[in-house]
Amino acid sequence: MAYTFILFEVDQGVARITLNRPDVLNSIHTAMSGEIRDALDRAAREREIRALLLTGTGRGFCAGQDLDEVRPGATTGDFATHVRTVYNPLVRALRALEKPVVCAVNGVAAGAGANLALACDLVLAAEEASFVESFAKIGLVPDTGGSFFLPRLVGMARATALTMLAEKITAQQAVEIGLIYRVCPAATLQDEASKLAVHLAAQPTFGLGLAKRLLNAAGANDLDAQLELEAELQGAAGRSADYAEGVAAFLAKRKPIFTGQ
Ligand code: T3D
């Protein structure tokens, strides 16, 4: 598929998806969502891709749904169907991708744009970036996984405030409440995010993918079920080439060369 609304490149084992509609702060419409979905499918399918980096061009990361596309009277139809077809597949694809996903939030992240970032594994943001669960401002409810991720990340009290007040918080505040991983100067954001993604791509990515599966399951499992899943996936990790390489390198006091197998 040729892309018009995103940029896609693969380098050093990292697939970089850049949201590319800067004039509207990279807000998402149906065609753009289809492109992101296609790029995520590629990232899952292609073996040489071992990590993903999601970011945006211009002064925004993503302002959520393109409101022009869904203005009252538009032909996009019922929002329930729209959310099921445009947003849910993106969140499912990001969480099901058993490869590390780094998100570099380069500017404002609003509505579905904020929640798309929260669906990633490690979220870095520029000092000037901000997060706003803007849904309540226009009479909508959180989607794109927001009602799932927010209470798990920051607790119910803060999740409720962010949701109901729809106040913009800074990247620094987002780090302080545990919403995201790290904040860095805008000038170094892309470099730092790239370095992190390249680092992860050279790690035992088969095991990292299984670890992500465990973390995904932890919210719904009870302790017994989670212990059993840990045992099962440790079995799989223990049979991997990366485990053999990791231990061999440790014993030989040399640097391991992981292949993600
Ligand atoms: O099924 C469904 O579709 C329902 C699902 C919904 C999912 C959602 O994401 S709902 C939430 C949608 N997003 C929003 O409500 C956010 C709307 N945008 C804003 O509140 C503000 O733009 C920001 C707080 C994000 C940034 O403010 P600011 O002052 O830095 O920028 P701005 O001037 O408002 O925006 C710059 C341009 O981007 C402007 O265009 P212009 O005037 O330069 O031609 C603005 O209209 C455009 N823009 C920003 N957000 C959107 C947008 N255009 C279309 N859709 C947007 N979401």
Side-chain angles (χ1 to χ4, degrees), residues 173-194:
Q173 287 171 317
V175 171
E176 281 160 15
I177 64 173
L179 191 67
I180 66 168
Y181 168 53
R182 191 141 64 86
V183 62
C184 38
T188 61
L189 173 72
Q190 296 300 342
D191 259 15
E192 289 197 35
S194 279

PDB file of all heavy atoms in Angstrom, residues 173-194:
ATOM      1  N   GLN A 173       4.196  16.840  33.740  1.00  0.00           N
ATOM      2  CA  GLN A 173       3.135  16.339  34.640  1.00  0.00           C
ATOM      3  C   GLN A 173       2.780  14.894  34.282  1.00  0.00           C
ATOM      4  O   GLN A 173       2.526  14.078  35.168  1.00  0.00           O
ATOM      5  CB  GLN A 173       1.877  17.225  34.535  1.00  0.00           C
ATOM      6  CG  GLN A 173       2.031  18.584  35.194  1.00  0.00           C
ATOM      7  CD  GLN A 173       0.852  19.504  34.863  1.00  0.00           C
ATOM      8  OE1 GLN A 173       0.386  19.580  33.739  1.00  0.00           O
ATOM      9  NE2 GLN A 173       0.372  20.213  35.875  1.00  0.00           N
ATOM     10  N   ALA A 174       2.784  14.603  32.990  1.00  0.00           N
ATOM     11  CA  ALA A 174       2.438  13.240  32.553  1.00  0.00           C
ATOM     12  C   ALA A 174       3.448  12.230  33.101  1.00  0.00           C
ATOM     13  O   ALA A 174       3.079  11.123  33.513  1.00  0.00           O
ATOM     14  CB  ALA A 174       2.373  13.169  31.031  1.00  0.00           C
ATOM     15  N   VAL A 175       4.722  12.618  33.141  1.00  0.00           N
ATOM     16  CA  VAL A 175       5.741  11.728  33.734  1.00  0.00           C
ATOM     17  C   VAL A 175       5.483  11.585  35.226  1.00  0.00           C
ATOM     18  O   VAL A 175       5.497  10.472  35.777  1.00  0.00           O
ATOM     19  CB  VAL A 175       7.172  12.279  33.505  1.00  0.00           C
ATOM     20  CG1 VAL A 175       8.194  11.486  34.309  1.00  0.00           C
ATOM     21  CG2 VAL A 175       7.538  12.225  32.027  1.00  0.00           C
ATOM     22  N   GLU A 176       5.223  12.722  35.871  1.00  0.00           N
ATOM     23  CA  GLU A 176       5.067  12.700  37.342  1.00  0.00           C
ATOM     24  C   GLU A 176       3.903  11.824  37.796  1.00  0.00           C
ATOM     25  O   GLU A 176       3.970  11.191  38.848  1.00  0.00           O
ATOM     26  CB  GLU A 176       4.906  14.140  37.880  1.00  0.00           C
ATOM     27  CG  GLU A 176       6.250  14.858  37.958  1.00  0.00           C
ATOM     28  CD  GLU A 176       6.122  16.373  38.002  1.00  0.00           C
ATOM     29  OE1 GLU A 176       5.005  16.876  38.251  1.00  0.00           O
ATOM     30  OE2 GLU A 176       7.151  17.044  37.773  1.00  0.00           O
ATOM     31  N   ILE A 177       2.832  11.754  37.016  1.00  0.00           N
ATOM     32  CA  ILE A 177       1.692  10.926  37.446  1.00  0.00           C
ATOM     33  C   ILE A 177       1.773   9.498  36.880  1.00  0.00           C
ATOM     34  O   ILE A 177       0.865   8.698  37.079  1.00  0.00           O
ATOM     35  CB  ILE A 177       0.330  11.572  37.092  1.00  0.00           C
ATOM     36  CG1 ILE A 177       0.129  11.689  35.575  1.00  0.00           C
ATOM     37  CG2 ILE A 177       0.174  12.917  37.777  1.00  0.00           C
ATOM     38  CD1 ILE A 177      -1.269  12.159  35.189  1.00  0.00           C
ATOM     39  N   GLY A 178       2.852   9.198  36.181  1.00  0.00           N
ATOM     40  CA  GLY A 178       3.035   7.826  35.686  1.00  0.00           C
ATOM     41  C   GLY A 178       2.307   7.527  34.382  1.00  0.00           C
ATOM     42  O   GLY A 178       2.143   6.369  34.003  1.00  0.00           O
ATOM     43  N   LEU A 179       1.900   8.591  33.690  1.00  0.00           N
ATOM     44  CA  LEU A 179       1.182   8.388  32.424  1.00  0.00           C
ATOM     45  C   LEU A 179       2.142   7.992  31.302  1.00  0.00           C
ATOM     46  O   LEU A 179       1.795   7.199  30.428  1.00  0.00           O
ATOM     47  CB  LEU A 179       0.441   9.680  32.053  1.00  0.00           C
ATOM     48  CG  LEU A 179      -0.578   9.608  30.925  1.00  0.00           C
ATOM     49  CD1 LEU A 179      -1.768   8.756  31.331  1.00  0.00           C
ATOM     50  CD2 LEU A 179      -1.073  11.013  30.552  1.00  0.00           C
ATOM     51  N   ILE A 180       3.342   8.560  31.334  1.00  0.00           N
ATOM     52  CA  ILE A 180       4.332   8.272  30.289  1.00  0.00           C
ATOM     53  C   ILE A 180       5.683   8.001  30.945  1.00  0.00           C
ATOM     54  O   ILE A 180       5.871   8.226  32.144  1.00  0.00           O
ATOM     55  CB  ILE A 180       4.446   9.423  29.255  1.00  0.00           C
ATOM     56  CG1 ILE A 180       5.005  10.696  29.905  1.00  0.00           C
ATOM     57  CG2 ILE A 180       3.093   9.688  28.594  1.00  0.00           C
ATOM     58  CD1 ILE A 180       5.416  11.763  28.902  1.00  0.00           C
ATOM     59  N   TYR A 181       6.624   7.575  30.111  1.00  0.00           N
ATOM     60  CA  TYR A 181       7.921   7.125  30.620  1.00  0.00           C
ATOM     61  C   TYR A 181       8.904   8.278  30.877  1.00  0.00           C
ATOM     62  O   TYR A 181       9.507   8.368  31.940  1.00  0.00           O
ATOM     63  CB  TYR A 181       8.485   6.119  29.614  1.00  0.00           C
ATOM     64  CG  TYR A 181       9.934   5.731  29.791  1.00  0.00           C
ATOM     65  CD1 TYR A 181      10.421   5.258  31.018  1.00  0.00           C
ATOM     66  CD2 TYR A 181      10.822   5.811  28.720  1.00  0.00           C
ATOM     67  CE1 TYR A 181      11.749   4.896  31.164  1.00  0.00           C
ATOM     68  CE2 TYR A 181      12.144   5.433  28.856  1.00  0.00           C
ATOM     69  CZ  TYR A 181      12.608   4.989  30.075  1.00  0.00           C
ATOM     70  OH  TYR A 181      13.911   4.634  30.204  1.00  0.00           O
ATOM     71  N   ARG A 182       9.065   9.161  29.878  1.00  0.00           N
ATOM     72  CA  ARG A 182      10.180  10.112  29.990  1.00  0.00           C
ATOM     73  C   ARG A 182       9.890  11.386  29.190  1.00  0.00           C
ATOM     74  O   ARG A 182       9.195  11.344  28.179  1.00  0.00           O
ATOM     75  CB  ARG A 182      11.427   9.442  29.422  1.00  0.00           C
ATOM     76  CG  ARG A 182      12.721  10.153  29.667  1.00  0.00           C
ATOM     77  CD  ARG A 182      13.859   9.182  29.990  1.00  0.00           C
ATOM     78  NE  ARG A 182      14.222   8.260  28.930  1.00  0.00           N
ATOM     79  CZ  ARG A 182      15.078   8.527  27.946  1.00  0.00           C
ATOM     80  NH1 ARG A 182      15.615   9.715  27.842  1.00  0.00           N
ATOM     81  NH2 ARG A 182      15.379   7.606  27.060  1.00  0.00           N
ATOM     82  N   VAL A 183      10.444  12.489  29.655  1.00  0.00           N
ATOM     83  CA  VAL A 183      10.337  13.748  28.917  1.00  0.00           C
ATOM     84  C   VAL A 183      11.733  14.176  28.503  1.00  0.00           C
ATOM     85  O   VAL A 183      12.698  13.912  29.217  1.00  0.00           O
ATOM     86  CB  VAL A 183       9.614  14.828  29.779  1.00  0.00           C
ATOM     87  CG1 VAL A 183      10.377  15.145  31.032  1.00  0.00           C
ATOM     88  CG2 VAL A 183       9.321  16.083  29.012  1.00  0.00           C
ATOM     89  N   CYS A 184      11.870  14.772  27.315  1.00  0.00           N
ATOM     90  CA  CYS A 184      13.189  15.262  26.911  1.00  0.00           C
ATOM     91  C   CYS A 184      13.039  16.537  26.079  1.00  0.00           C
ATOM     92  O   CYS A 184      11.950  16.816  25.573  1.00  0.00           O
ATOM     93  CB  CYS A 184      13.985  14.200  26.163  1.00  0.00           C
ATOM     94  SG  CYS A 184      13.077  13.166  25.065  1.00  0.00           S
ATOM     95  N   PRO A 185      14.130  17.281  25.945  1.00  0.00           N
ATOM     96  CA  PRO A 185      14.033  18.521  25.163  1.00  0.00           C
ATOM     97  C   PRO A 185      13.586  18.214  23.728  1.00  0.00           C
ATOM     98  O   PRO A 185      13.971  17.176  23.164  1.00  0.00           O
ATOM     99  CB  PRO A 185      15.472  19.056  25.159  1.00  0.00           C
ATOM    100  CG  PRO A 185      16.136  18.402  26.322  1.00  0.00           C
ATOM    101  CD  PRO A 185      15.474  17.078  26.496  1.00  0.00           C
ATOM    102  N   ALA A 186      12.807  19.118  23.148  1.00  0.00           N
ATOM    103  CA  ALA A 186      12.303  18.896  21.788  1.00  0.00           C
ATOM    104  C   ALA A 186      13.454  18.623  20.820  1.00  0.00           C
ATOM    105  O   ALA A 186      13.335  17.779  19.924  1.00  0.00           O
ATOM    106  CB  ALA A 186      11.506  20.112  21.331  1.00  0.00           C
ATOM    107  N   ALA A 187      14.566  19.332  21.028  1.00  0.00           N
ATOM    108  CA  ALA A 187      15.694  19.210  20.091  1.00  0.00           C
ATOM    109  C   ALA A 187      16.276  17.796  20.069  1.00  0.00           C
ATOM    110  O   ALA A 187      16.884  17.390  19.075  1.00  0.00           O
ATOM    111  CB  ALA A 187      16.777  20.223  20.460  1.00  0.00           C
ATOM    112  N   THR A 188      16.113  17.057  21.167  1.00  0.00           N
ATOM    113  CA  THR A 188      16.736  15.725  21.210  1.00  0.00           C
ATOM    114  C   THR A 188      15.709  14.591  21.194  1.00  0.00           C
ATOM    115  O   THR A 188      16.081  13.422  21.212  1.00  0.00           O
ATOM    116  CB  THR A 188      17.619  15.574  22.476  1.00  0.00           C
ATOM    117  OG1 THR A 188      16.784  15.717  23.630  1.00  0.00           O
ATOM    118  CG2 THR A 188      18.739  16.595  22.511  1.00  0.00           C
ATOM    119  N   LEU A 189      14.419  14.950  21.172  1.00  0.00           N
ATOM    120  CA  LEU A 189      13.382  13.916  21.279  1.00  0.00           C
ATOM    121  C   LEU A 189      13.538  12.813  20.226  1.00  0.00           C
ATOM    122  O   LEU A 189      13.554  11.618  20.557  1.00  0.00           O
ATOM    123  CB  LEU A 189      11.980  14.534  21.161  1.00  0.00           C
ATOM    124  CG  LEU A 189      10.845  13.511  21.095  1.00  0.00           C
ATOM    125  CD1 LEU A 189      10.637  12.841  22.452  1.00  0.00           C
ATOM    126  CD2 LEU A 189       9.536  14.142  20.608  1.00  0.00           C
ATOM    127  N   GLN A 190      13.645  13.218  18.969  1.00  0.00           N
ATOM    128  CA  GLN A 190      13.667  12.192  17.917  1.00  0.00           C
ATOM    129  C   GLN A 190      14.921  11.324  18.023  1.00  0.00           C
ATOM    130  O   GLN A 190      14.860  10.112  17.828  1.00  0.00           O
ATOM    131  CB  GLN A 190      13.552  12.832  16.514  1.00  0.00           C
ATOM    132  CG  GLN A 190      12.226  13.548  16.270  1.00  0.00           C
ATOM    133  CD  GLN A 190      10.990  12.631  16.380  1.00  0.00           C
ATOM    134  OE1 GLN A 190      11.088  11.404  16.321  1.00  0.00           O
ATOM    135  NE2 GLN A 190       9.822  13.230  16.562  1.00  0.00           N
ATOM    136  N   ASP A 191      16.035  11.951  18.357  1.00  0.00           N
ATOM    137  CA  ASP A 191      17.284  11.193  18.528  1.00  0.00           C
ATOM    138  C   ASP A 191      17.169  10.195  19.675  1.00  0.00           C
ATOM    139  O   ASP A 191      17.546   9.030  19.552  1.00  0.00           O
ATOM    140  CB  ASP A 191      18.421  12.161  18.887  1.00  0.00           C
ATOM    141  CG  ASP A 191      19.272  12.443  17.683  1.00  0.00           C
ATOM    142  OD1 ASP A 191      18.819  12.126  16.568  1.00  0.00           O
ATOM    143  OD2 ASP A 191      20.384  12.986  17.878  1.00  0.00           O
ATOM    144  N   GLU A 192      16.641  10.685  20.801  1.00  0.00           N
ATOM    145  CA  GLU A 192      16.535   9.810  21.975  1.00  0.00           C
ATOM    146  C   GLU A 192      15.564   8.660  21.721  1.00  0.00           C
ATOM    147  O   GLU A 192      15.820   7.522  22.105  1.00  0.00           O
ATOM    148  CB  GLU A 192      16.094  10.620  23.208  1.00  0.00           C
ATOM    149  CG  GLU A 192      17.194  11.530  23.701  1.00  0.00           C
ATOM    150  CD  GLU A 192      16.960  12.027  25.117  1.00  0.00           C
ATOM    151  OE1 GLU A 192      16.423  11.270  25.942  1.00  0.00           O
ATOM    152  OE2 GLU A 192      17.323  13.179  25.392  1.00  0.00           O
ATOM    153  N   ALA A 193      14.455   8.986  21.056  1.00  0.00           N
ATOM    154  CA  ALA A 193      13.466   7.939  20.772  1.00  0.00           C
ATOM    155  C   ALA A 193      14.052   6.920  19.790  1.00  0.00           C
ATOM    156  O   ALA A 193      13.870   5.710  19.947  1.00  0.00           O
ATOM    157  CB  ALA A 193      12.189   8.557  20.216  1.00  0.00           C
ATOM    158  N   SER A 194      14.774   7.413  18.791  1.00  0.00           N
ATOM    159  CA  SER A 194      15.401   6.506  17.811  1.00  0.00           C
ATOM    160  C   SER A 194      16.417   5.609  18.498  1.00  0.00           C
ATOM    161  O   SER A 194      16.450   4.400  18.263  1.00  0.00           O
ATOM    162  CB  SER A 194      16.146   7.297  16.733  1.00  0.00           C
ATOM    163  OG  SER A 194      15.245   7.730  15.790  1.00  0.00           O
TER     164      SER A 194
END
